């Protein structure tokens, strides 16, 4: 409701609500799934990040948060504006390197977003 999706509190490495409560989804899956989702792409202005919502075949509601070229470029620009020494990302190998034209364009845009 109102795009609020709470995660169960699963203690992991000192964090009460962490990746132990959720799971990582490859960017290629996200790009294929977002278009058929319940919500389409939504944007959180506070986090400066996109997300979408869907129901699985069992009717369970899910919310997927991710970075895209726009959100990455905002974060990279912030790092640059503060004179910080760099930016990290979770998994570059989660991008789609299949060689399909759309996948190549998406992957290239993600890497370009890291250099404002």
């Amino acid at each position: 409701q109102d795009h609020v999706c709470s995660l169960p509190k699963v203690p992991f490495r000192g964090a009460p609500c962490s990746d132990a409560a959720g799971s990582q989804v490859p960017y290629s899956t996200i790009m294929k799934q977002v278009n058929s989702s319940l919500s389409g792409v939504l944007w959180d202005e506070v986090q400066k990040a996109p997300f979408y919502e869907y129901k699985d075949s069992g009717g369970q509601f899910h919310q997927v948060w991710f970075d895209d070229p726009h959100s990455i470029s905002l974060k990279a620009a912030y790092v640059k504006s503060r004179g910080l020494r760099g930016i990290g990302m979770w998994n570059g190998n989660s991008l789609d390197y299949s060689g399909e034209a759309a996948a190549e364009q998406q992957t290239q845009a993600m890497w370009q977003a890291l250099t404002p």
Side-chain angles (χ1 to χ4, degrees):
Q1 200 173 55
D2 296 325
H3 307 296
V4 174
C5 185
S6 57
L7 290 173
K9 292 189 177 191
V10 180
F12 181 70
R13 297 185 184 174
C17 192
S18 67
D19 59 344
S23 60
Q24 182 175 326
V25 179
Y27 190 69
S28 58
T29 301
I30 290 170
M31 290 295 94
K32 291 173 183 163
Q33 191 176 51
V34 71
N35 293 329
S36 62
S37 68
L38 294 171
S39 64
V41 177
L42 301 169
W43 179 261
D44 184 280
E45 191 56 38
V46 174
Q47 302 297 321
K48 304 284 190 231
F51 66 101
Y52 65 93
E53 300 164 337
Y54 74 95
K55 283 188 180 178
D56 62 23
S57 58
Q60 173 123 10
F61 179 82
H62 297 270
Q63 194 172 71
V64 179
W65 289 75
F66 61 101
D67 276 308
D68 63 5
H70 178 64
S71 64
I72 292 277
S73 66
L74 292 173
K75 292 167 185 165
Y78 177 84
V79 166
K80 186 175 183 178
S81 74
R82 297 293 190 266
L84 301 175
R85 294 190 178 250
I87 187 170
M89 57 190 277
W90 189 250
N91 278 31
N93 64 350
S94 289
L95 297 172
D96 190 342
Y97 297 101
S98 67
E100 295 175 15
E104 281 187 25
Q105 183 181 12
Q106 291 165 353
T107 297
Q108 183 179 17
M110 288 290 277
W111 284 110
Q112 287 175 341
L114 286 168
T115 54

